[in-house]
Each structure stands twice: as C-alpha cells, then as structure tokens.
Amino acid sequence: MIVKAPSARKNGTVRAGAEAGTEPIPLRYGDDPYVWACWLYYEDRMTQGDIADIMGISRATVNSYLADARARGIVNISLEPSRLSSLSIAQELKRHFGLHDCLVVPSDDNARPLIDRLGGAAAQALAKLLKSGDTLAVAWGRTVLAIGEQASVPGLQDVTVVQATGGTRASFAYTPELCAAAIASAVDGKLINITAPAVVSTAEVRDMLLRETLIESQFAALAKANKALFGISSLRPNSTIHTSGFFESVSLQQYLAKDAVGVVAGRFIDGQGNPVAGPLDDRTIGISLDRLKAIGLRIAVAGGFDKVPAILAALRGGYVNVLITDAATGRGILNADGVTELDQKLSQRPRLDNTVALPSNFRTHIKKFLNDPDDVVEEMLDGVVKAHAAYIEPIKGSHRALVARTGPRPGKVGLVIGGGTGHEPCFLGYVGKGLADAVAVGNIFSSPPPGTIFQCANAASGGQGVLFVYGNYAGDVMNFEMAAEIAAEHNIEVRTVVTTDDIASSPLEDREGRRGVAGNFFMFKIAGAACDRGLSLDACEAVTRKANARTFTMGVALEPCSLPQTRRHNFEIGPDDIEIGMGIHGEPGVIRERMMSADAITDRIMDRIFSEMKPAAGDRVAVLINSFGATPLMELYILFRRVAQRLSAKDITIEANWVGHYCTSLDMVGASITVLHLDNELTELLHHPCDTAVLRVG
C-alpha cells in the first residue's frame, strides 16, 4: 500500500455511506481490523475519531492499529520521488547559499503553467512569512502578479505594501502599480505607490522628482520595509525586461556587453551578482540594490531553466535569503555553482571509496583524435573547407565565415545561419544551393562574433535583404543583433527568426524563452527553400516563423559530453540515470530519471510533443531522429520505430523523415526527437530541392 498523506474532507464531513448506522461499509477485509483501519485512514482519509465511531472502538485503539500496521509491514509509507527530490534540492539550496528558507515546487510535466505553480507556492509561503505590522516592498513582473492573484492572507493587521519601483504608463498586466495593488489586496494591507515613472529622461529630472514632498514620503515608507518580494528576470529575448518595453529608451546591448545576466528590482547584475553600470543608473526611480540587501527578509520567486544564470547571480550577490523556485531550476542552479553531490544522492549513487584500488580499465580522461586542443576548431574548419570545397568557400580567407559557392545571387533574399562549433554537421553542413547562403562559426558552444556575422550577411546579400536564423541563446542573440545593426549601416535590411523548438527548456506559456536545438534542421530547410524560390523578405520571415511555431523537439542524454580542452565529462550522469530535456551545449537536462527502455523514453517524449502539437487524424508530419554524437544508428532506428508506431496509432502520416547525426553535442550519448507539424505550404518547401555537404533533397 502506497500511503497518501491524510487530509481533511471537504466541509469537514465524512463521505456518504461511511456514517455509522446509515449505510453498510462498502469494503470489508474479512475480520482484519488492521487493514480496515488503514484503508479508512489512508485511502478514505477519515479522521481517527470517525474511524473509531464506524468500527465501534476507542480512538486510542485506532491509533494502536495504525501504529501496529506500520510495524508489521501492512502499510509502507513512501514519498513520491519528485517531491522527495524537491525536498532534497530545497535543503541543498538552503545549505549551499546560506538561505533563511527555500521552497522548491516539484516538476509536473507542465500540467500547469510554471508561473501559476510558483505563484501558488509563493502565495502559501507569504501566509507563513508575513506578520502583522510588516512593511513589504513589492517589485513587479508576471510572477509577482501571479502571487497576488492567488494569495489570501486574512487576519493580519497594520501591514503596509510599498511599490518598490516607479510606475509606468504601459498597458501590460503586470505593471508595478498593479503588482503592488494585487499583493496589498491579498494581505488586506495599506498600499503606498511610488507616484513617479520608473525610468525618466535625465538624471536631473530624477533628482528633481525625488525632492518632491510626496515622493520623499513614499521613499521614506519604502525605507521602512523589513521584507521584500520580487521576481528575477533573465535577459533572454522573451524576458519581462524585453517584452514589457519597460526599458525601451535604452539599448540593452550596453548591459549585455558588460556581461549582465539578469535584473533584480529594475537593476542589472552580472554573473557574480555585482551591479552593472549603465545609462539607466541615474535615471531610475526605485529601490537600490544596496537598500534591497539591507532588508531583513528578501523573498525571490523565479523559475525556468533560462533563468538559472540570473537567479544564481542574485544568490551570489546576497539579494535573496528566501528562494521559491521549481525543481529543475533549483538543480540547474546547484549544478551551475559546482554542486554535483546532490545528483549522486538523488540517484542513490554510491560514493567512491578511495581506499580501494581502481580497476585497471578506469579512465579519468576521454581519448580523442587531437593535436593541440587549443587548435581543434581551426584544424576542424580547415578540414571542413578542404572536404567540402565544392559547396563552401571562406569569405576573405576566414574559415569562421563561409559562403555557399552556388547560393547567393542577385534578386534573392540571403539566408545566414550560425552558432558555435561542437554541433557538426550543424551549422556549416547546411550551406549550399537551396539552403543557407552563408554560415558564421564560433568557438565550441560559443556564438560567432558580430563582425563575422556581418561578413556573412554582406556576402549573402542579393539586394533583397537578408534573413538571420539562429538558436535562442543570449550570446547568439546579442551578437546577431549587433551584426544586424552593422548591416543596417551598410543599407542591408535584416530580418531575424530566433528558433525555440526545445519544448523541455521552458513551459508552454514561455515558448519564446525556449532554446533552439535540433529543430534548427527544419527551420533552416524551410527558410532556405523560401529564399531560393524568390519569395520576398517578409514572406521568408513569415514562413520560417510558422515552421518554428510548428516544430517540437525533446532530447534525452544517457552520458555527458567532454570538451577537447579538458577531455573530461562536463557533468555527471549516474550509472542508472538519464537526463530528460537535454540541450545541445552540454547543459544538464531539466529532470533526471532512472534508466528506462527505448520505447518508454520515446513514449515520454511523444506524449509531451502530442500535448503541445495537438494533432488530428489525417495530419502530416516530418520527423527527425538526431544523435547527440555518440549514439549509433542502430539505436536511433529503434527510436524511430516507436515514433512511427505512435504516429500511426493517431492516423498521422510521416511525410518525410531523417535519422542520423544532424545537430550533435560533441560526443554526448543521447538523442533527440523532432516533429514538424506540416501544412501544404511547409510540405512544398520541405520537398524543395537543396544540395549541401550533408543534406540533399530532390
């Protein structure tokens, strides 16, 4: 018997038919009072008093039966693995960062939006953390609003809620004013707004406003805050900072160039939590980072794998002493800060006994075909150019900028793709007739620089504009945007499609924050065909965006990859574990599970894809089964077999499929499954001829 924690029935009543003297008990187990008592307590969730009345015995006897049942092994009490994992992660976060407290929400396969789950958890925590007489400083954001919408803390007296930043005239739902008002309503507190803009035009205007008597009094109230509630924003293109338009008066590139990774209460911080100086410093009206750190209880509520660097920075900077997050994010934070023991504990991995001699076949390094590890990228690119000289050639002698010999032509929209090395044959393998016109190449798992990307745009330009297509990673976004600005100065119009097919990397409501992974294969193919057919820049961009919206990828890793410079695994996976939601840069997955069969892994992925794709009988799809580098074709075909079975069961036709190495992560053992949900337009473009070093159609 797996025991569920007992809880009171709704309205405090016993289920109909369970009241003594009304209806007979529906289930009896012979004359065994132990099983009867356990069933009523654990399964029917009755109180011990109710059970005593039904069974005609004393409450003390019921208590004795329940204790004896556990001692005899009749009942085995177990914690759900995901909840046990969350508890362990919370304890480790609290210990590692010296937090006052930590609450970690278990992963639930996106049954509910992550923001709603975090909001609900924080709402419950607020009821325990907030006391009568408190002054609570409240920042703004989608997560903070979700807390206010779900919280209800009755019975408090003399609570003051102060808006932590100035306001805005923006129309989005989570403005500073609305967030503070929602929290104040939830706790029945006095609301004090900051009646000034969060960002003003000049430092002089800021200083003048702060001298106003009303605003002085509001900041005096803010200075009395003994508790603070805030979210943490990343600088990904989908983040609140970008989508709200809150900072549209300045270019965030100025902060990204100084290694900013996140925003806390309207202030930018770097990876170590240090403030990042910029043009907004003297124009921002709101709580300072120093003042925030001086507040006694600082409650941060944030989650999502894309926010790991920002949350880690806030923890390192000391801005947080109560953290509310989700299990996948929490584990990512710990791993990013060098904590690996937790994964071993969760997988019940035995510790290595250093007193025992290691077996003769034990290795500390991975063997690779290398000369000087520091030359690996240049030597690889030299080999690529020599091997595929019929398809590509360097731009101005640089192997980091390659152009198709038969791609660019006057009157055609140019297609430029790019990213770091380590993913071969992506990206450089998809350059040629009918596909990409040029590719910009970075170091291992690193974005190419803006100058290289501009060289590609200039070479690909045929007078009708250039389309950039690349994965959603902060470095790529920053450098491609800078390259687009350079291109504009040279009268080259650039449009951008950022790929976001990795359904495991962010919840559905945060689709724009997802990573671009093996689904790039389909986006490149569709974009290349549209450009080759002579469609306009608007049309090429639109159809590529449609392909991105209809592409779904999820990866699973069995073993980690190793970098050429270290020849060591860049993280660890237990001998009986797998990483679900693996990225293509060697990032750990978003959840760790015990090893399972190929069909079970495939079903796990396809169930998730179907939940978002929502296919109908008669639909057509394209399928990509992609190796992460070290998984052989034998195993990939086993995965494809099950994918085909699942699609056939839903009467979905596989229009085209590819199985092999298409977007790798060095030598990682694992694979990803990508499904492109086709329509007539996408089908035609998918079958459009192309001829590159690794992909030929028609």
Side-chain angles (χ1 to χ4, degrees), residues 454 482-494:
F454 168 69
M482 292 174 67
E485 293 174 1
I486 298 171
E489 294 172 357
H490 289 77
N491 298 316
I492 300 174
E493 183 179 2
V494 172

Side-chain angles (χ1 to χ4, degrees), residues 57-177:
I57 56 179
S58 70
R59 182 170 179 175
T61 302
V62 173
N63 185 276
S64 176
Y65 282 164
L66 296 174
D68 288 348
R70 290 194 297 271
R72 296 182 183 190
I74 296 172
V75 173
N76 294 314
I77 298 178
S78 64
L79 286 172
E80 182 184 351
S82 66
R83 298 183 186 275
L84 178 61
S85 172
S86 297
L87 179 61
S88 300
I89 292 169
Q91 290 175 329
E92 186 62 22
L93 284 166
K94 182 179 178 182
R95 183 202 66 79
H96 184 73
F97 292 104
L99 300 176
H100 173 75
D101 210 343
C102 182
L103 175 61
V104 172
V105 179
S107 301
D108 73 343
D109 287 335
N110 288 319
R112 291 175 59 206
L114 178 58
I115 287 178
D116 287 350
R117 290 190 288 129
L118 290 174
Q124 294 182 36
L126 204 61
K128 297 180 180 180
L129 296 172
L130 208 58
K131 307 297 180 186
S132 293
D134 281 341
T135 296
L136 179 68
V138 176
W140 62 279
R142 289 176 289 189
T143 306
V144 175
L145 183 63
I147 300 168
E149 291 174 340
Q150 299 184 64
S152 178
V153 189
L156 297 179
Q157 298 181 20
D158 304 319
V159 173
T160 300
V161 175
V162 186
Q163 186 178 319
T165 68
T168 176
R169 296 176 60 189
S171 60
F172 53 83
Y174 44 90
T175 62
E177 298 91 336

Side-chain angles (χ1 to χ4, degrees), residues 62 88 97 117 166 193 200 234 239 262 275 324 362 366 414 420 446 463 503 601 603 650 693:
V62 173
S88 300
F97 292 104
R117 290 190 288 129
N193 293 114
V200 296
S234 73
S239 68
I324 300 173
F362 182 83
I366 309 299
S446 299
I503 63 175
I601 291 172
D603 287 345
K650 290 183 176 291

Side-chain angles (χ1 to χ4, degrees), residues 124-399:
Q124 294 182 36
L126 204 61
K128 297 180 180 180
L129 296 172
L130 208 58
K131 307 297 180 186
S132 293
D134 281 341
T135 296
L136 179 68
V138 176
W140 62 279
R142 289 176 289 189
T143 306
V144 175
L145 183 63
I147 300 168
E149 291 174 340
Q150 299 184 64
S152 178
V153 189
L156 297 179
Q157 298 181 20
D158 304 319
V159 173
T160 300
V161 175
V162 186
Q163 186 178 319
T165 68
T168 176
R169 296 176 60 189
S171 60
F172 53 83
Y174 44 90
T175 62
E177 298 91 336
L178 292 175
C179 288
I183 298 295
S185 175
V187 303
D188 195 21
K190 175 184 177 182
L191 173 62
I192 297 179
N193 293 114
I194 302 295
T195 54
V199 179
V200 296
S201 56
T202 66
E204 291 74 20
V205 171
R206 172 184 176 274
D207 294 341
M208 179 186 68
L209 287 173
L210 291 178
R211 288 193 296 268
E212 290 291 327
T213 303
L214 176 61
I215 297 176
E216 277 188 339
S217 67
Q218 293 163 352
F219 268 84
L222 181 60
K224 295 178 182 179
N226 64 326
K227 294 175 182 176
L229 177 67
F230 54 94
I232 299 172
S233 178
S234 73
L235 296 183
R236 295 279 291 275
N238 66 296
S239 68
T240 300
I241 296 303
H242 284 273
T243 58
S244 67
F246 206 69
F247 299 116
E248 62 186 3
S249 62
V250 300
S251 172
L252 295 184
Q253 301 298 337
Q254 298 179 58
Y255 288 96
L256 290 169
K258 295 181 179 180
D259 298 324
V261 299
V263 175
V264 174
R267 310 287 180 169
F268 292 81
I269 57 175
D270 66 16
Q272 297 301 317
N274 301 312
V276 176
L280 292 174
D281 292 356
D282 297 330
R283 296 166 46 199
T284 299
I285 296 178
I287 193 168
S288 67
L289 290 176
D290 286 340
R291 173 60 196 139
L292 177 62
K293 289 175 70 172
I295 293 176
L297 200 67
R298 305 178 296 281
I299 309 163
V301 187
F305 209 65
D306 62 308
K307 289 191 177 183
V308 166
I311 300 172
L312 176 57
L315 290 166
R316 287 171 171 169
Y319 306 111
V320 181
N321 59 12
V322 175
L323 176 64
I324 300 173
T325 189
D326 62 288
T329 304
R331 196 166 67 97
I333 293 166
L334 290 167
N335 288 342
D337 210 38
V339 178
T340 58
E341 293 85 356
L342 181 68
D343 289 336
Q344 298 172 1
K345 292 176 183 177
L346 294 180
S347 62
Q348 299 179 343
R349 181 179 181 180
R351 294 185 178 274
L352 183 66
D353 184 355
N354 292 326
T355 64
V356 178
L358 294 172
S360 60
N361 63 347
F362 182 83
R363 297 287 184 271
T364 60
H365 291 77
I366 309 299
K367 295 192 285 284
K368 296 177 179 290
F369 291 108
L370 299 175
N371 295 312
D372 185 339
D374 292 333
D375 295 333
V376 63
V377 174
E378 289 302 329
E379 290 185 350
M380 183 268 290
L381 291 174
D382 187 40
V384 166
V385 170
K386 287 180 168 62
H388 304 306
Y391 296 96
I392 54 179
E393 61 181 335
I395 300 173
K396 297 182 178 179
S398 171
H399 289 170

